[in-house]
Amino acid sequence: MEKEFKTVAKFNDQMRAEIAAGMLRANGIPAETFNDNSPFPGVNGGKDGVVIRVNAEDYDDAVKLLETTSDSQTAE
């Protein structure tokens, strides 16, 4: 069965997205960064920013953790 992924946040630059994704990973939530224009993890952000995607079952916990930062636009 394939896992469902959800976008949990969007950032204007790769560095901030990687820091937030690292925080999620450090708290036991697998997270990957994606350029909105690219399906490949870790590709530098383009004009549309960088999103963080997590497993659907981790989404609520990820949102709670990211609420402590103000740099992201948490997905709804």
Side-chain angles (χ1 to χ4, degrees), residues 11-42:
F11 291 82
N12 291 327
D13 67 76
Q14 186 77 28
M15 184 177 68
R16 291 181 197 278
E18 289 295 341
I19 290 169
M23 180 192 67
L24 292 172
R25 291 182 203 115
N27 284 278
I29 299 174
E32 293 295 332
T33 58
F34 291 83
N35 176 327
D36 274 354
N37 298 325
S38 173
F40 303 105

Side-chain angles (χ1 to χ4, degrees), residues 37-74:
N37 298 325
S38 173
F40 303 105
V43 175
N44 286 338
K47 63 179 178 147
D48 293 330
V50 181
V51 296
I52 298 176
R53 294 191 180 123
V54 298
N55 295 327
E57 63 266 15
D58 295 324
Y59 179 81
D60 291 333
D61 291 334
V63 168
K64 288 176 188 172
L65 283 169
L66 290 174
E67 285 176 348
T68 63
T69 67
S70 60
D71 290 343
S72 70
Q73 298 173 7
T74 305

